[in-house]
């Protein structure tokens, strides 16, 4: 379902439990309830006004894009299948990741993070985080793409 760029202020997808993909970026959403959408594999909700995002029931998520909101914390520890995760340009002070996660793409820069616990995970492709953020328990070689810009 793609309903991006429509100036939506509300979105009720609770009756679509088997929805595999949701693109609702660039709207004016202040909340998004996806707890009934347990089959979601892709969620793109960037550029809204979300202050919280509960994805604890969305264990099938492989791709998550929630950049450009007003999130202060985000728990993706239930999403062990994530391969692409972008959460930059929020107000995040904490991101809780699953253990041993291997991401292809991870962008968490332009937040308020001071520490990022990778829980023995790694990123095989692009990784971006602010230079004041220390990364701990990382299983790979740290290559911050922002340090080269």
């Amino acid at each position: 379902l793609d309903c991006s760029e429509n100036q939506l202020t509300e979105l009720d997808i609770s009756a679509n439990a088997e929805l595999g993909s949701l693109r609702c970026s660039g709207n004016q959403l202040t909340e998004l309830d996806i707890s009934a959408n347990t089959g979601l594999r892709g969620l793109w909700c960037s550029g809204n006004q979300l202050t919280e995002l509960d994805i604890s029931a969305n264990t099938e998520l492989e791709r998550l894009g929630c950049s450009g909101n007003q999130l202060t914390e985000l728990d993706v520890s239930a999403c062990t299948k994530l391969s692409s995760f972008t959460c930059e340009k929020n107000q995040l002070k904490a991101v809780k990741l699953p253990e041993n996660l291997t991401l292809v793409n991870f962008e968490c820069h332009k937040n308020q993070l001071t520490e990022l616990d990778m829980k023995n995970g790694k990123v095989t492709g692009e990784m971006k985080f602010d230079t004041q953020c220390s990364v701990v328990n990382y299983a790979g070689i740290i290559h911050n793409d922002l340090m080269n810009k």
Side-chain angles (χ1 to χ4, degrees):
L1 174 64
D2 189 345
C3 55
S4 299
E5 307 292 334
N6 280 297
Q7 300 179 348
L8 298 176
T9 56
E10 295 179 8
L11 181 61
D12 182 0
I13 54 169
S14 58
N16 306 88
E18 296 303 314
L19 188 65
S21 174
L22 175 61
R23 295 178 184 269
C24 58
S25 298
N27 284 296
Q28 299 169 14
L29 300 172
T30 56
E31 58 184 48
L32 182 61
D33 183 359
I34 54 171
S35 59
N37 310 99
T38 55
L40 269 182
R41 291 180 311 283
L43 173 62
W44 295 269
C45 56
S46 299
N48 281 289
Q49 300 165 18
L50 301 174
T51 55
E52 60 183 50
L53 183 62
D54 182 358
I55 55 174
S56 58
N58 307 100
T59 58
E60 298 299 312
L61 269 181
E62 298 169 4
R63 294 169 308 281
L64 174 60
C66 57
S67 305
N69 282 290
Q70 299 168 16
L71 303 171
T72 56
E73 60 183 51
L74 190 56
D75 184 350
V76 297
S77 59
C79 304
T80 58
K81 297 180 181 180
L82 271 182
S83 63
S84 177
F85 177 31
T86 58
C87 59
E88 76 272 13
K89 298 178 185 172
N90 277 289
Q91 300 165 18
L92 291 170
K93 296 178 182 170
V95 174
K96 188 171 182 185
L97 297 166
E99 288 189 32
N100 303 313
L101 182 66
T102 298
L103 292 164
V104 174
N105 179 44
F106 181 37
E107 298 181 26
C108 64
H109 58 290
K110 296 186 180 175
N111 279 296
Q112 298 173 18
L113 295 169
T114 56
E115 183 176 281
L116 183 60
D117 188 348
M118 292 296 294
K119 298 189 184 290
N120 297 317
K122 61 183 175 181
V123 179
T124 60
E126 186 173 58
M127 180 176 188
K128 293 181 181 179
F129 58 93
D130 294 317
T131 53
Q132 80 272 8
C133 178
S134 63
V135 178
V136 296
N137 298 322
Y138 186 68
I141 297 171
I142 291 182
H143 175 73
N144 184 355
D145 289 331
L146 287 182
M147 291 182 177
N148 299 324
K149 297 189 188 266

